[in-house]
Amino acid sequence: MKAKSIILTGGGTAGHVSLNEAIIPSLIEADYDVHYIGSHDGIEKELIGNAFPELPYHSISSGKLRRYFSIQNFTDPFKVLVGIGQAFSTIKKVKPSVIFSKGGFVSVPVVIAAKLANIPVVVHESDVTPGLANKIALPFASHIFTVFKETVKHLPSDKATCTGSIIRQQLFEGNREQGLACCDFTADKKVLLIMGGSLGSVVVNDAVRENLTKLLEKYQIIHLCGKGNIDSSLLNLEGYRQFEYVTDELPDLLYAADFIVSRAGSNSIFEFLALHKPMLLIPLSAAKSRGDQILNARLFKQQGFAHVLDEDTMTIESFYKAVETLVANADEMIDKMLDVEQPKTPSEMVSLITQYEK
């Protein structure tokens, strides 16, 4: 009997790919023929290609959904139209029983093409309020799943369900000793892991590096600084290890970390929560985003899982003080995290998605 096919889509940032990465092994185990539709040069192509080199990856044209004026806003609609045609051609060839979209601008042509091809679409929204791509996708979707309960009230009640977080199983398989060894760190000094997102953050990177002398007196530092943001002058600094970003090493580095400083993307902060890692969140400002990370961080702060530092008012001094406050309150945060229900498994998410297949 021929295996059923499924198409996954989503990209632009690692956050729009991580859940797809998490469920692919479960889909393969369930004997699905898995295909991925992404952009020609987005981060999703690299992440999926590295993690699943045998998985068919179909590149399409896609514009970018901007909230600011750009001359490209006039040309990108034509790219989206081309992308719809390319996605439609792929869908007719693959004949999926269902399409799963994690969002990001590359998903828009795919969900529209799916509607034209009469293929059911299931969408996933990680943030408190739906992103622009998922808002566009909503009329074309059979159902949308959310991480936050608060998100459901922004969506049609008959096609929205809160599942809670879905965590990659590999993250629970990290090894602290291997993480320390990867960085040439010792076991007798606390480790601070700093993440600026898959694309990096100049603001966070600068705050860390301006405070390095003081921070290294107390902590060993793992710094995920984003592509192209390695500071070559700091490569041999004892107790400080830089990475542009990591994939296979991430579980070990998370297990090695005692405290985390991070942006407030939903996927990441729920992973930290599941691993009981005290966190200081520096959400993207409203000037740089639609404000989704601010809402994510605010909810985590209200529940006692995180401290929050405002990017717009952050200084070198306030960053250091916020790290010290994080460390001082870490045990209290962990106690609150221990009471949280464990996240759903990828195989449970697969069961939810495939109930909508044609």
Side-chain angles (χ1 to χ4, degrees):
M1 183 177 177
K2 186 179 179 181
K4 288 184 178 180
S5 296
I6 185 170
I7 289 176
L8 308 182
T9 187
T13 68
H16 287 127
V17 186
S18 58
L19 178 54
N20 286 334
E21 287 185 276
I23 66 174
I24 285 171
S26 296
L27 285 166
I28 294 173
E29 189 176 323
D31 202 29
Y32 278 85
D33 179 24
V34 185
H35 292 249
Y36 204 101
I37 297 181
S39 62
H40 294 291
D41 53 4
I43 193 172
E44 64 273 15
K45 185 173 185 178
E46 183 175 354
L47 292 175
I48 295 299
N50 288 342
F52 307 99
E54 303 303 317
L55 195 88
Y57 182 94
H58 308 273
S59 298
I60 64 167
S61 171
S62 68
K64 185 174 182 178
L65 301 170
R66 301 176 183 86
R67 292 174 174 80
Y68 54 88
F69 176 79
S70 168
I71 195 69
Q72 291 174 294
N73 290 340
F74 298 100
T75 59
D76 279 2
F78 298 100
K79 293 181 181 179
V80 173
L81 288 174
V82 171
I84 292 170
Q86 293 169 331
F88 184 82
S89 177
T90 298
I91 290 167
K92 298 302 285 185
K93 179 181 177 182
V94 173
K95 296 181 175 62
S97 58
V98 66
I99 291 174
F100 179 64
S101 170
K102 190 60 192 71
F105 54 85
V106 72
S107 69
V108 172
V110 182
V111 298
I112 295 174
K115 185 69 173 180
L116 295 173
N118 196 31
I119 301 297
V121 175
V122 176
V123 173
H124 189 270
E125 177 56 63
S126 298
D127 292 313
V128 178
T129 59
L132 183 54
N134 280 347
K135 284 182 179 178
I136 294 172
L138 192 55
F140 308 102
S142 299
H143 204 79
I144 180 166
F145 291 107
T146 73
V147 169
F148 291 99
K149 292 178 182 177
E150 291 80 1
T151 314
V152 175
K153 64 187 178 186
H154 298 284
L155 302 165
S157 59
D158 61 338
K159 60 191 306 184
T161 304
C162 175
T163 63
S165 60
I166 314 295
I167 305 298
R168 293 170 283 173
Q169 195 58 39
Q170 307 95 290
L171 290 183
F172 296 103
E173 299 167 1
N175 182 283
R176 178 176 173 82
E177 288 70 31
Q178 289 181 20
L180 293 173
C182 178
C183 300
D184 295 322
F185 287 176
T186 65
D188 58 358
K189 196 172 184 180
K190 296 291 186 180
V191 175
L192 179 64
L193 172 61
I194 297 161
M195 303 174 63
S198 58
L199 303 179
S201 165
V202 173
V203 174
V204 175
N205 291 347
D206 288 348
V208 173
R209 288 164 178 159
E210 291 289 343
N211 278 291
L212 265 183
T213 301
K214 287 199 296 184
L215 289 171
L216 288 173
E217 291 175 1
K218 298 182 179 182
Y219 317 107
Q220 300 171 110
I221 298 173
I222 303 169
H223 188 182
L224 308 186
C225 56
K227 195 167 185 178
N229 294 319
I230 295 289
D231 187 334
S232 58
S233 70
L234 300 172
L235 288 176
N236 298 316
L237 187 60
E238 185 178 353
Y240 177 67
R241 184 68 191 273
Q242 306 170 81
F243 300 88
E244 290 191 330
Y245 63 90
V246 293
T247 52
D248 295 343
E249 306 94 334
L250 182 59
D252 293 337
L253 297 182
L254 286 171
Y255 269 73
D258 297 287
F259 322 103
I260 294 177
V261 176
S262 174
R263 288 301 199 185
S266 174
N267 294 306
S268 295
I269 63 177
F270 273 101
E271 289 172 352
F272 306 153
L273 173 60
L275 295 173
H276 306 140
K277 298 295 178 179
M279 61 189 101
L280 168 63
L281 301 179
I282 308 173
L284 271 168
S285 69
K288 298 178 181 177
S289 70
R290 64 186 181 88
D292 50 304
Q293 290 198 9
I294 296 172
L295 295 175
N296 297 346
R298 186 179 298 162
L299 281 174
F300 263 48
K301 180 181 179 180
Q302 289 172 356
Q303 295 174 82
F305 304 147
H307 284 298
V308 178
L309 185 58
D310 178 26
E311 177 182 74
D312 288 335
T313 59
M314 182 174 70
T315 64
I316 295 169
E317 294 76 17
S318 67
F319 176 84
Y320 182 80
K321 184 177 180 180
V323 171
E324 292 290 271
T325 303
L326 166 70
V327 174
N329 293 284
D331 290 342
E332 183 180 344
M333 286 187 190
I334 292 171
D335 286 343
K336 293 184 182 299
M337 293 175 179
L338 290 171
D339 292 333
V340 176
E341 181 183 351
Q342 281 297 299
K344 283 186 169 53
T345 65
S347 59
E348 289 174 312
M349 189 68 211
V350 165
S351 296
L352 292 171
I353 295 167
T354 55
Q355 68 179 310
Y356 292 95
E357 62 187 2
K358 190 174 181 181

